[in-house]
Amino acid sequence: MSKNPLNAARFVLSAPSWKTLPPPERPEVAFLGRSNVGKSSLLNALTERKQLALTSGTPGKTRAFNFFDVNGQFYLVDIPGYGYAKVSKAERAHWAALIERYAVERQSLRLLLHLVDSRHPPTAIDREVFAALKGSHVPNVIVLTKSDKLGTNARDKSVKLARQAVEESGREVPIVLTSSQTGRGMDELHQWIADTTAGGDLEAGA
């Protein structure tokens, strides 16, 4: 049996709108990032479950907030990828507004893991999200994905560029370099999740 508590995660709900989100009664750890940044792969790596979250080479596949229950104690939440170009401007604007509302207003949110592709400098829309998250009440960690594709110098440069972009938004945010393939950074993210979800259920509406 796995000693990883996240290994017990199971899919329970797909919420396409604010009204369909579950009651804010448990701590939530949310995964946010551009389309195809590797959110599903990271979820699978953290939970040591190969197909907990279905991965796809097609950007924009996740079109709802997907909730995964962990031992009845808290939720992992896969948020729709932002910035997908092959949908209408109106739909992109709708999801952007909903994601920002969730990050700022969702009272049961305890940790926001913001994924950025380590192979490229933060994009203009990544930077917009950095700025928008200034209003969030929860700890935010920048998770640089796909670091196994880079050499040592390139990884160092990726961290430096991400830090500069975050600082330009007027914030200081921890940065974790990760790889879903090699396991880099998973222990650190596990610790963040454990620290921010300790205590279990919340009072309704808390």
Side-chain angles (χ1 to χ4, degrees), residues 116-127:
V116 176
D117 193 329
S118 69
R119 300 172 300 174
H120 312 287
T123 64
I125 194 167
D126 285 327
R127 292 169 180 267

Side-chain angles (χ1 to χ4, degrees), residues 39-179:
K39 288 189 282 87
S40 295
S41 294
L42 183 68
L43 268 165
N44 291 339
L46 282 169
T47 59
E48 298 176 2
R49 300 273 297 282
K50 292 183 178 180
Q51 294 186 322
L52 177 70
L54 297 180
T55 59
S56 172
T58 304
K61 182 177 178 62
T62 303
R63 306 309 303 150
F65 289 73
N66 290 325
F67 283 74
F68 300 87
D69 172 86
V70 181
N71 290 318
Q73 296 178 340
F74 60 93
Y75 290 118
L76 303 177
V77 186
D78 187 5
I79 297 178
Y82 58 77
Y84 182 43
K86 293 185 180 180
V87 297
S88 68
K89 290 183 178 179
E91 185 173 356
R92 289 203 303 272
H94 163 75
W95 280 110
L98 184 56
I99 290 168
E100 182 174 353
R101 181 181 182 186
Y102 175 83
V104 174
E105 297 183 21
R106 184 67 171 173
Q107 294 178 340
S108 48
L109 182 61
R110 290 294 177 266
L111 176 65
L112 190 60
L113 300 177
H114 184 182
L115 281 63
V116 176
D117 193 329
S118 69
R119 300 172 300 174
H120 312 287
T123 64
I125 194 167
D126 285 327
R127 292 169 180 267
E128 290 176 11
V129 176
F130 290 160
L133 293 180
K134 287 180 69 174
S136 180
H137 62 285
V138 302
N140 175 208
V141 177
I142 302 298
V143 178
L144 296 179
T145 63
K146 307 180 183 182
S147 69
D148 55 289
K149 308 294 185 182
L150 303 176
T152 301
N153 290 339
R155 287 195 293 266
D156 291 343
K157 182 178 180 180
S158 177
V159 172
K160 180 179 179 180
L161 291 174
R163 181 171 291 112
Q164 289 175 344
V166 173
E167 289 176 350
E168 287 171 5
S169 72
R171 304 165 64 222
E172 291 186 10
V173 177
I175 297 173
V176 179
L177 198 64
T178 71
S179 167

